[in-house]
Amino acid sequence: MGAYLITPAIGSHFVMFLAKMQENSKSGLPPIDVERFVFVLKGSVTLIDASAISHKLEVDSYAYLPPNSKHSLNSDASATLVVFERRYAYLENHIVEQIVGSTDKQPLLETPGEVFELRKLLPTSLHYDFNIHIMDFQPGEFLNVKEVHYNQHGLLLLEGQGIYRLRDSWYPVQAGDTIWMAPFVPQWYAALGKTKSRYLLYKDVNRNPL
């Protein structure tokens, strides 16, 4: 079962969807030249990659699958994934590779002038045309600047609650909510409540906007 959350119909250059895998189910492949990123929200799945190697993916673990790489995701019991797909923007002499990892294995990165904790799940090299960020805010923490940039975002709030400003509108958000942020939309976030908030954020990188 799937639910598309963000698609090009609203102006994005990527898709973001929830995949609810049932017992003994198996994924299909994305279209030609489309890369895929999978993040496990509930349960666990087994990734069988192009080399027929199996990788068990549990909650907060993920996999990046390069375009045109044969693979399947298999579930023995129910599991929920968030999936990002986009048509890969090729660069000459740059080849992307499969990545399998987990959030807790990624280092905390410096965020000069900010207080939130940041992890990047993909390499920052030119090979990759997007990245996935995990951002943690303690209650009362907020972005110190209102951001405006050419990048697109797809956001899924994983834990907690807060308030998101988009242009001149303010939106209460809680775990499970999704936001699409178009290029040049002013954006700002503050964490509310008594527990930390965490969100997963898609961001296009390393390519000329033309």
Side-chain angles (χ1 to χ4, degrees):
M1 298 175 63
Y4 280 94
L5 305 173
I6 299 172
T7 75
I10 59 173
S12 68
H13 57 215
F14 66 96
V15 298
M16 175 182 176
F17 62 91
L18 292 178
K20 294 190 175 182
M21 301 186 71
Q22 306 301 311
E23 183 179 357
N24 298 320
S25 59
K26 179 180 179 180
S27 69
L29 291 172
I32 294 174
D33 291 338
V34 170
E35 55 193 334
R36 170 181 280 174
F37 182 93
V38 176
F39 187 93
V40 180
L41 300 174
K42 294 180 182 178
S44 65
V45 297
T46 299
L47 166 68
I48 301 176
D49 65 21
S51 300
I53 298 174
S54 297
H55 308 266
K56 187 171 183 180
L57 304 180
E58 299 180 320
V59 172
D60 288 342
S61 59
Y62 59 89
Y64 169 81
L65 292 314
N68 307 320
S69 62
K70 292 186 177 180
H71 65 273
S72 67
L73 295 157
N74 303 272
S75 63
D76 295 327
S78 62
T80 303
L81 318 174
V82 59
V83 183
F84 295 87
E85 295 178 346
R86 66 168 282 175
R87 198 165 300 281
Y88 181 63
Y90 287 93
L91 278 183
E92 188 176 359
N93 299 322
H94 290 76
I95 299 175
V96 288
E97 298 180 349
Q98 173 182 293
I99 295 172
V100 176
S102 60
T103 301
D104 61 358
K105 298 285 179 63
Q106 302 310 308
L108 289 174
L109 303 177
E110 293 186 4
T111 55
E114 296 285 359
V115 295
F116 61 84
E117 294 182 342
L118 171 66
R119 294 174 173 86
K120 295 185 179 182
L121 303 188
L122 295 180
T124 58
S125 64
L126 287 176
H127 304 68
Y128 298 87
D129 58 3
F130 73 89
N131 213 312
I132 300 292
H133 296 183
I134 297 292
M135 301 172 67
D136 292 327
F137 294 78
Q138 296 301 321
E141 292 182 344
F142 53 87
L143 292 172
N144 283 331
V145 295
K146 179 177 66 176
E147 296 184 351
V148 181
H149 47 62
Y150 76 89
N151 312 83
Q152 299 186 18
H153 287 324
L155 180 152
L156 176 64
L157 198 65
L158 300 174
E159 300 177 32
Q161 59 183 309
I163 189 163
Y164 231 101
R165 177 184 177 182
L166 301 173
R167 298 191 188 278
D168 293 323
S169 298
W170 302 77
Y171 299 93
V173 292
Q174 60 185 355
D177 287 344
T178 298
I179 302 174
W180 176 60
M181 286 171 263
F184 302 108
V185 170
Q187 54 198 253
W188 179 87
Y189 177 72
L192 304 176
K194 297 181 179 180
T195 61
K196 80 169 185 181
S197 64
R198 164 176 284 190
Y199 59 70
L200 176 153
L201 184 78
Y202 165 98
K203 181 178 183 179
D204 53 303
V205 295
N206 295 329
R207 296 296 185 272
N208 190 313
L210 289 174

